[in-house]
Amino acid sequence: MTIDSIINGIVLDHIQVGKSMEIYRVLELSKLDCSVAIIKNVSSKKAGQKDIIKIDSLIDINLDVLGYIDPGITVNIVKNGEIVEKRKLSLPDMVTGVIKCKNPRCITSVEQELPHVFRLTDREKGVYRCIYCEAKAKGEA
Amino acid sequence: MKDLISITDLSIEELQELIDTAEDIIANPEKYGDKCKRKKLATLFFEPSTRTRLSFEAAMLELGGAVIGFSEASSSSASKGESVADTALTISCYADIIAMRHPKEGAPLVAAKAAGIPVINAGDGGHNHPTQTLTDLLTIYREKGRLNNLKIGFCGDLKFGRTVHSLISAMSRYEGNSFVLISPEELKIPGYIKKDVLIKNEISFVETDNWENLPELDILYMTRVQRERFFNEADYLRLRDVFILTMDKLANAKDDLCIMHPLPRVNEIERAVDSDKRACYFKQVLNGKFIRMALILRLLGIE
């Protein structure tokens, strides 16, 4: 299978297998006009298998959101056909509007306009808690 | 520190400063009578809690300040659908400091982010109630002269009682404290408090369903088993009556045991105990006012 290389754009590499569709959805890549390739189950020396997303444009990507979904991703910035920058991700200290608080007793359950903000409370275990009610984040973004 | 939302907002040093100020207020009340002259406290109580509200109001009045506010959501603009942030912004134009009680968890934090004036969390649902914990800490300090190296028993509803959870977290920050957790099986302390607070910090504790450890205790913190926590009346009545403190049981307790209770009580402490010198729960109420006075001064930046 061949996919054209990118001249100016972004390659999200080392995505955990199966996470690419979630990233596509959360980063709202469907709204882009440029070419976007989702490549699943690529062989990888490091992880056995991985997913890759190629975006044929230099868009602004919310690295916090990406780091929250999968801190193992490498973000490659490609300019004139060359990788000019490799960014490693880590779990962000705070994420806004990515995780939804599901605690019915939380103030966010009655005030619809409040942003849902989660803070990283345990980096080792990757635990995020709602800043308002301290409920633990569960499941995917 | 602009606001007090959770007891963990305060460092050990800040807690000690508040306790020292409260002690000074108790020793020299005349020094503090005009400290908050021309300042206004707004008590925004979106659910009723008479004792907490009156404690805040009494605290402000004793500092020479004034009080405005409401005592239930139906008499506020929340009943018209106003957001917590808008209410806080509006009140910021009238008052110098806010004490807020709200049934939803995190509402005081929303208010604090919006308001230009200090906000004190006076209880947000079953989540935080930091001024109750401050009250408890001041009481322990006044009765024992220290906050470390104490054996503290908690008895009753340890599952839902947020005052118990906060006090355990707060006392776990001091060296040498250990806990005896006395409750029926159904009302044992939640797993996350055990794991994240006690086990993580290597704090010694025992869980029991009887009174055999009572003779070792320095503090006994009694709690109410709340009717609204139960699905059926029979379970409530059975559990409510299991752990009642009586004068007979106290025969084996230390002479200087300090018996505490966040109040109101139902029947978990026999009335006869009230006249025992070890009963500290009404002193605790009074301490609640003094520590709130200290907190108001601190948040308003008044020396």
Side-chain angles (χ1 to χ4, degrees), chain A residues 92-130:
Chain A
D93 294 331
M94 201 98 100
V95 281
T96 302
V98 180
I99 314 167
K100 207 167 160 38
C101 184
K102 291 176 182 151
N103 174 8
R105 298 179 306 275
C106 181
I107 184 70
T108 55
S109 72
V110 287
E111 296 212 350
Q112 311 301 332
E113 285 175 27
L114 277 177
H116 288 232
V117 185
F118 279 72
R119 184 186 292 126
L120 181 64
T121 55
D122 186 336
R123 187 169 285 279
E124 233 168 77
K125 293 182 183 150
V127 177
Y128 281 85
R129 287 181 186 276
C130 171

Side-chain angles (χ1 to χ4, degrees), chain B residues 135-188:
Chain B
T135 300
D136 297 340
L137 292 175
L138 176 63
T139 304
I140 295 173
Y141 190 81
R142 283 183 62 73
E143 295 302 318
K144 294 288 161 195
R146 65 183 192 278
L147 292 170
N148 54 6
N149 297 316
L150 293 166
K151 190 161 222 175
I152 307 149
F154 287 90
C155 175
D157 176 0
L158 310 189
K159 184 176 180 183
F160 298 106
R162 69 176 164 193
T163 54
V164 172
H165 306 163
S166 322
L167 189 55
I168 289 177
S169 303
M171 291 304 284
S172 295
R173 295 161 77 184
Y174 297 91
E175 256 175 57
N177 288 332
S178 60
F179 301 101
V180 176
L181 308 169
I182 311 162
S183 74
E185 182 65 31
E186 293 91 333
L187 297 176
K188 276 166 75 171

